[in-house]
Amino acid sequence: MNTVAQAVSIHAKFGASETSFRCGQEIHGQGEPANYIYEVQRGAVRSYKALSGGRRQICAFHLHNDIFGWETGLSYRFTAEAIVDTTVLVVRRHTLEYVAATDVKVTRNLLSLTAKSLEHAESHMLLLGRKNSLEKIVAFLLEMDRRLSCPSVLALPMTRRDMADYLGLTVETVSRDLSQLRASGLLRFLENSQRQIVLQDREKLQGLT
Amino acid sequence: MNTVAQAVSIHAKFGASETSFRCGQEIHGQGEPANYIYEVQRGAVRSYKALSGGRRQICAFHLHNDIFGWETGLSYRFTAEAIVDTTVLVVRRHTLEYVAATDVKVTRNLLSLTAKSLEHAESHMLLLGRKNSLEKIVAFLLEMDRRLSCPSVLALPMTRRDMADYLGLTVETVSRDLSQLRASGLLRFLENSQRQIVLQDREKLQGLT
DNA sequence: CGACTATTTGAGGCGTATCAAGAAGTGTGG
DNA sequence: CCACACTTCTTGATACGCCTCAAATAGTCG
């Protein structure tokens, strides 16, 4: 069962509208009424929870075809922001729930979607709780590599700060570990761009996490 | 909607059987075929993922009436072990899926159950990634207090090691922070028992997390 | 009681955070 | 296209929170 493809069809069926956000713009805020569900068409989005003292935990990055903003409760548990210029499909939650009430397939798609998120969250708990900084960085690179379909050049849409807030580290540690991986020849940056990375040895990287 | 109560009714409806496990016994192992779903009747269970070097991340404790072992994939993503002598209700996954195929309410209950787990996992990510040791301990105590219905004496079923593996800490750090909280009068232990804790000031504790 | 496990406490070390500064990259207006 | 301001990223020096190792104490169970 392909969750994403089925979810896309839901959107098409119910007249989803398209909206664009500039880099850095908020799509929905933590605590606001959860009235819309989104799907990334172009660009990328971060979903995070905030803590006192400016601390953030990014719980997920949403890339092409990912769905986000779906809640069982009344309000969003995350703030979602575009991390590059981004276009999303939007459907009213009300519409989706109306359909789910009559079409079991939609409910099952929502279940599948939620289960996928849960699976990701549980793996990420292991990473946050028990991996060291290098293992975290490597796991992150391989996750992005996989989700972007293993391109020859990994074009990361997020800043080092976003990476740090996803991995429970600081910007400096992220930077240092990337430098270390570069020094040991496991990856390299494209010239004039620190966010375009070539993974030189996926197998060895896999062994580090 | 009360997930737990509805899930219990599912079990009753479909002839769930009762099984008991001794403290420390494995209920299901990571990677095994996920053929059964469980509900805690008496006792408590830990679900964890293992990493190289003996590292563990406990993703959840399952207490009275909690359901665990439900998977969308073929195999268990966790090892589940009784942490005290425990009795569970067991239903065949096959049975549940057969019913879910005809009864939408069952599918919706599974969705609600999964969404609850997801919500917990996402809060726990924030804890693991961005809280310091004292904030983690306090959050843990308040979580257990809430889930055990705020009893006058908090009777923890788990060891300090389990707490540590849930919070991404070591046994020693857990012990030190508990001592510190005791020294500052925010909690006390019952005599002859380090696992029975009285929270002396829930409000102040709340302020620490 | 005696053996064992769980917990606490202390001393010291390590990994990551913090603070600081400079380099690299990006965007804007001329 | 360049000049300038700004943000992002890197690198170095140092600090500190939590881990590691070790040993004593408390609790459990035969």
Side-chain angles (χ1 to χ4, degrees), chain A:
Chain A
M1 170 155 54
N2 187 327
T3 305
V4 169
Q6 295 191 335
V8 169
S9 77
I10 291 171
H11 284 166
K13 224 192 298 189
F14 302 107
S17 61
E18 205 178 280
T19 312
S20 290
F21 296 89
R22 306 304 301 273
C23 172
Q25 223 183 327
E26 179 174 309
I27 299 173
H28 63 69
Q30 194 173 350
E32 292 175 7
N35 294 332
Y36 299 94
I37 293 98
Y38 305 86
E39 178 177 328
V40 178
Q41 283 208 306
R42 283 183 302 281
V45 174
R46 63 176 169 241
S47 280
Y48 67 88
K49 287 172 180 284
L51 211 59
S52 65
R55 290 177 288 179
R56 281 195 323 182
Q57 179 63 46
I58 293 178
C59 289
F61 292 110
H62 310 293
L63 309 178
H64 182 58
N65 282 346
D66 287 345
I67 290 169
F68 65 95
W70 187 70
E71 299 282 345
T72 47
L74 292 177
S75 54
Y76 292 115
R77 287 163 301 141
F78 301 106
T79 298
E81 291 168 354
I83 58 180
V84 291
D85 291 354
T86 296
T87 302
V88 296
L89 284 172
V90 190
V91 291
R92 300 188 73 85
R93 172 184 176 158
H94 183 74
T95 308
L96 190 64
E97 284 177 343
Y98 176 77
V99 177
T102 57
D103 185 351
V104 188
K105 265 187 266 177
V106 175
T107 303
R108 273 202 276 273
N109 281 350
L110 288 175
L111 176 53
S112 171
L113 177 71
T114 308
K116 278 268 186 305
S117 299
L118 179 57
E119 203 164 321
H120 176 268
E122 287 165 342
S123 309
H124 208 60
M125 277 198 261
L126 181 62
L127 177 146
L128 290 170
R130 288 303 183 208
K131 289 186 178 177
N132 64 33
S133 69
L134 196 63
E135 289 173 323
K136 286 177 177 181
I137 294 287
V138 171
F140 170 78
L141 291 172
L142 292 173
E143 180 192 348
M144 287 302 139
D145 185 50
R146 178 179 55 76
R147 291 177 61 190
L148 296 169
S149 311
C150 307
S152 55
V153 176
L154 188 56
L156 298 174
M158 68 287 286
T159 64
R160 300 290 192 254
R161 167 154 301 284
D162 287 332
M163 293 172 56
D165 286 342
Y166 182 61
L167 300 174
L169 298 171
T170 60
V171 182
E172 294 92 333
T173 298
V174 170
S175 185
R176 271 186 252 274
D177 284 349
L178 285 173
S179 295
Q180 184 186 328
L181 290 169
R182 182 171 52 169
S184 38
L186 293 175
L187 58 79
R188 63 184 180 85
F189 298 164
L190 251 47
E191 26 271 291
N192 298 337
S193 168
Q194 299 133 328
R195 295 200 204 167
Q196 297 190 284
I197 296 180
V198 178
L199 303 185
Q200 313 262 38
D201 191 337
R202 290 181 171 83
E203 200 144 314
K204 251 185 205 156
L205 285 169
Q206 190 66 57
L208 290 180
T209 193

Side-chain angles (χ1 to χ4, degrees), chain B residues 144-165:
Chain B
M144 287 302 140
D145 185 49
R146 178 179 54 77
R147 291 177 60 190
L148 296 169
S149 311
C150 308
S152 55
V153 176
L154 187 56
L156 298 174
M158 69 286 289
T159 64
R160 299 288 191 256
R161 168 154 301 281
D162 286 331
M163 293 172 54
D165 285 342

